[in-house]
Structure formats: C-alpha cells, structure tokens
Amino acid sequence: MLTGALLNEKPDAMPGLAPHGVQPEGKRKGFQRRKVPADVNTDTHWVEIVARIRQSQDQAAFAELFQHFAPRVKAFLIKSGADAGMAEECAQDVMATLWRKAHLFDPSRASVATWIFTIARNRRIDMLRKERRPEPDELTWGPAPEPDAADVMELQQENNRLAEAMAELPEKQRVLIQKAYFGDLSHSEIAEQTGLPLGTIKSRIRLALERLRHVMK
Amino acid sequence: MNEIKHHLTDKILLGYAAGTLPEAFSLVVATHISMCDECRARLGAFDAIGGTLLESSDDLMDGNMPAVDFDATLERIEAGSGDEEAEKSAPIEAPESASTLPVALQNYIGGDLDAVKWRPVGMGVRQAILKTSRSASVRLLHIPAGTAVPDHGHHGTEMTIVLQGAFRDEFDRFGPGDVEIATEDLEHTPVAEEGVDCICLAATDAPLKFNGLLQRIAQPFLKI
Ligand SMILES: [Zn+2]
C-alpha cells in the first residue's frame, strides 16, 4: 500500500523551496493567483486566512489556502493507499469542504493543519474503507463564542513545539507513527507509543475546553 | 459531568485519530469523548500529530508534489458539492438534557434509549446489535440491577462503556462514562450493581465465548 519512499531517509528537500505542484490559475472572476512567501507559512497566517474565508468569503484567501494545503492533502491520500484518481477526487472534496466549514474552525483547539487533517482523514475512511465515522458530540450549540486571542496564540506555540519534538523523535519511531497515521498499520499493529510529546498541548486544549464550558453555562 | 475514572488508552486514541480503529470501536470512543473532556483534549493532541504529519507530507514526495485541479474544485463549490459532506460531518449538537445518550450513539440507534430494539439473551439480560462495518461488532447490553453478566472470557479485544447504572467485576467498578478494555487474558464476572439497571455499549473484534453450555448452544442464534 505504501511506497518505499516513506521508509527511506527524508529527502533533502529545502523547506520553502520545494516546487509547489499547484498554481491556482484563477481563470474565474474573483479568484486571484497569489504567491505565498515561505516566511508567512506559519499557523498564525493560516488562522487569519481561514478567518477571512469565514468572515467575508474571501476567495483570494481560499486560493492561498488551496495552494499550500491541496497538494499536501493529496500527498497524504496517496501515501494512504489511494490511487491518483481517488486522491484527486478526495482532495478536491476536502478543499470544497474547507470553504463551507470555515465557520466551524476553532483556532483555540486546533491548528489549521490539524483541522484539515481531520477532514481529510474522515474523507479517507469514507472513500477507502466505505465506513461511517462516529464523531463525538460537539460542545457548542448555537453560535460559537469568539475564541480568546491569547488561547489561540498559546495553542499555536504548543503546535510549533509539537512539530519540533516530532522532528526530534528517533527515526524508527517517527516512521512508525507516520505509518500509523497514513493508515499503513492496522489498529492491532499499532504499538503503545511512549515518549510522544503530547502532555503540554493536551493541557492547552483542556484549558480551552474549560473556557468553552464556562461560556456555555 | 459525572466523575469518570476509567478512560481511553493512548493506543485507542491514536488509532481513532489515525482513522484505523474499526467502526464499532470508534463508536465507543466517540461516545466516551462526548462524555469526557479529558479524553477530548487528549484526542486533540493526537489529532495535532496528524496535523504536523499533513504539514510535512511534502517531505515524503521526493519533491514531486501532486497537483490538484483548482478550477475543478471551484466548480465543485459552485455546484454545491461538498454540501452533503459538510452536512454529514458538521458538529452534532449536544442534547440539552443530561439524561439522554450522546448524539454520536443516537445516530446508530435511530433515537434515544426508548428507541432501542432490545432482544432477550437469557437471565434477564437484553441486547441490541448496532449496525457497523463487519471488522468488529458493537451492541447495547441491558443488565438488570444485581444481575451477573454470563461468565465469559474474551477472544481479541472487547471495549465496554457504561451508559447508565454501574457494574463491578473482581477487579474494579465501572460507572457512567467509564470504559473497560478487556483482552484475551481477562476472565471475569461482571455484575450489575443494585439500584438502577445497567446499560452498556460493548464493542468486540471477535465473538464472545460464553463458558456456560447453554450460552454455547445459543450463541450461533444470538449473532454475537
Ligand atoms: Zn476519558
């Protein structure tokens, strides 16, 4: 299911210089092509982009989100065993869903990349395994309260720390986790993972949940 | 929120975040998380790992990032495709009354507890099998207060969440929201506590093996 590439050493890709596989051409009115400078590819930037899509249906913002994430979603699906046609179909569908679901994104509880991952994962279960995905009940009913800016920033910092810590994991463990998340290990093959740097980001999300509960009271 | 003592394991949460857990087990996970903010936050952390992997998935493509058709995606949006998907995975509204089941579970029952189509399985115990993919099965169990669940061992893994009442076995007590994970080596006798009847949701990746002769005979007819 998985090509050997995942098991090889990390290719010497230069972050920011890797060729982007997609250049939205913006044939259509309103959708402008937009070059994304590498130094703004931080989560803070993506949170603003999603806010622009949510607040004003900003099509340029969507084009930018697409340019960065659509190829990554497709790569994720290909690595998960989807053939090219299905990965394309599914990636388009995920991106269309992002446009429609922008109002449901809560930046105090997840990064934009995490949010997109969960949508892509659910589509993968739907398309590749033809299964339903039972999702936990959401906490909010009615309009979601505006997330606290400090909460959003602290979550972003935790996400950066998590990404750094993941990069520092032993190669063997990192490959195993990749295989697990790309669906290349059945659940029974997944070993109990020790030493995953999850404690601090969990505490951060827990605080955001508590605040949400408080607001809902 | 009642106090939950027995939570999901990291391995289960990782499998749910990765999307590799069989549907039947995912239903138990979704039900527990609907009742438990601690595990909801832990899941958020496991989802965040998925986010970092998605962000760095370009590293895995040897510099050949696949293109995605932007215009076709815009056509999808304009045609309203994806609406259905957005509808389907929109956050489910939590019920206002605390006495009802999580909506995640109601979706599989087709309603609340009063909509469950119970079938007797002997000794006053009733069950209702919920429809999921075949990789594992999940059912609701209704055990009258004070009654022992037939003595049984397990093939594979069994994951049970208490929805109402409580049960005890030789080792511990499980109340509403608590999850018990039983593996092959566990041989135990759960007993529903006195007071309220115990209702659980139990997923298994193998048929239960009952030790009593009667149950062994009955088993093929019970579809368990
Ligand atoms: Zn829990």
Side-chain angles (χ1 to χ4, degrees):
Chain A
M1 220 161 88
L2 204 74
T3 68
L6 189 55
L7 302 169
N8 294 341
E9 290 290 321
K10 235 166 91 167
D12 298 325
M14 297 279 284
L17 294 181
H20 279 278
V22 63
Q23 294 288 335
E25 285 298 330
K27 262 192 265 169
R28 223 158 269 279
K29 262 185 276 165
F31 279 91
Q32 298 298 318
R33 176 170 169 173
R34 191 179 249 254
K35 190 93 190 77
V36 187
D39 61 340
V40 297
N41 285 354
T42 62
D43 199 56
T44 315
H45 179 64
W46 295 122
V47 167
E48 281 163 18
I49 287 286
V50 174
R52 274 162 56 193
I53 295 173
R54 177 180 63 233
Q55 284 154 9
S56 52
Q57 306 246 298
D58 187 328
Q59 301 187 335
F62 180 70
E64 195 176 326
L65 190 76
F66 187 97
Q67 182 178 332
H68 183 77
F69 282 106
R72 283 172 171 76
V73 168
K74 190 168 177 182
F76 164 72
L77 294 162
I78 289 171
K79 290 295 179 187
S80 300
D83 63 39
M86 188 180 269
E88 170 73 22
E89 169 94 353
C90 196
Q92 287 181 21
D93 194 87
V94 167
M95 296 313 293
T97 303
L98 297 179
W99 172 261
R100 291 177 197 291
K101 287 177 70 171
H103 62 288
L104 298 176
F105 172 58
D106 179 353
S108 69
R109 284 159 59 189
S111 72
V112 172
T114 297
W115 177 56
I116 297 176
F117 162 75
T118 60
I119 292 169
R121 171 201 61 204
N122 292 0
R123 279 308 277 148
R124 186 190 73 198
I125 294 170
D126 203 31
M127 289 185 93
L128 287 181
R129 287 179 37 196
K130 311 257 183 275
E131 280 189 10
R132 283 165 81 187
R133 161 88 176 177
E135 284 284 318
D137 298 3
E138 255 308 333
L139 292 183
T140 47
W141 13 285
E146 194 62 32
D148 184 83
D151 277 358
V152 173
M153 211 186 66
E154 299 217 32
L155 183 78
Q156 285 165 12
Q157 285 167 356
E158 287 303 339
N159 259 299
N160 292 340
R161 281 188 208 120
L162 177 67
E164 282 162 22
M166 291 286 294
E168 281 163 17
L169 284 178
E171 178 70 16
K172 212 175 146 192
Q173 188 179 14
R174 204 170 57 240
V175 169
L176 266 176
I177 292 168
Q178 277 171 350
K179 287 178 79 168
Y181 275 79
F182 289 115
D184 199 38
L185 292 179
S186 74
H187 182 67
S188 52
E189 291 171 306
I190 295 176
E192 204 73 66
Q193 294 292 324
T194 53
L196 286 181
L198 292 169
T200 52
I201 194 163
K202 187 223 83 180
S203 309
R204 178 53 47 199
I205 299 169
R206 185 81 169 90
L207 280 176
L209 289 175
E210 271 164 32
R211 247 172 247 195
L212 197 54
R213 289 263 182 223
H214 188 71
V215 172
M216 283 161 60
K217 279 209 177 107
Chain B
M1 259 194 185
N2 61 74
E3 213 187 304
I4 294 173
K5 290 199 194 68
H6 300 277
H7 296 273
L8 301 166
T9 62
D10 278 354
K11 187 184 167 182
I12 293 282
L13 280 170
L14 194 155
Y16 183 73
T20 46
L21 207 57
E23 187 184 353
F25 287 90
S26 291
L27 181 58
V28 176
V29 171
T31 301
H32 178 78
I33 290 175
S34 300
M35 302 164 84
C36 177
D37 278 359
E38 178 64 18
C39 287
R40 191 187 289 268
R42 287 168 66 209
L43 174 66
F46 280 102
D47 282 346
I49 290 185
T52 67
L53 293 176
L54 177 72
E55 182 61 58
S56 60
S57 63
D58 52 339
D59 288 350
L60 304 173
M61 298 304 287
D62 294 320
N64 298 314
M65 279 306 269
V68 181
D69 191 330
F70 185 62
D71 290 323
T73 305
L74 298 188
E75 275 162 29
R76 257 171 206 266
I77 290 172
E78 279 165 16
S81 132
D83 270 349
E84 201 186 317
E85 170 57 22
E87 204 78 33
K88 222 175 13 179
S89 44
I92 308 153
E93 291 185 0
E96 291 193 37
S97 154
S99 65
T100 53
L101 296 176
V103 178
L105 178 54
Q106 290 196 33
N107 287 340
Y108 278 78
I109 294 171
D112 210 344
L113 266 183
D114 53 11
V116 177
K117 296 183 185 70
W118 295 107
R119 284 166 192 280
V121 289
M123 288 155 31
V125 178
R126 294 181 292 161
Q127 73 170 17
I129 296 166
L130 304 179
K131 195 170 179 297
T132 58
S133 69
R134 303 168 71 93
S135 47
S137 63
V138 63
R139 64 204 169 125
L140 287 158
L141 281 168
H142 183 279
I143 306 145
T147 305
V149 182
D151 185 33
H152 63 282
H154 309 261
H155 289 295
T157 302
E158 189 187 336
M159 193 158 83
T160 305
I161 180 170
V162 176
L163 303 166
Q164 176 193 299
F167 72 83
R168 288 174 185 276
D169 63 12
E170 294 87 330
F171 312 101
D172 229 322
R173 175 189 186 271
F174 297 84
D178 281 335
V179 173
E180 188 212 38
I181 297 168
T183 46
E184 306 245 355
D185 45 8
L186 180 72
E187 184 93 26
H188 66 151
T189 317
V191 180
E193 272 187 1
E194 296 292 343
V196 192
D197 287 355
C198 182
I199 297 175
C200 317
L201 178 73
T204 176
D205 55 10
L208 284 182
K209 62 173 190 225
F210 284 110
N211 293 335
L213 177 65
L214 201 67
Q215 280 86 15
R216 213 176 306 138
I217 293 166
Q219 199 158 330
F221 303 103
L222 298 179
K223 245 184 96 186
I224 54 177

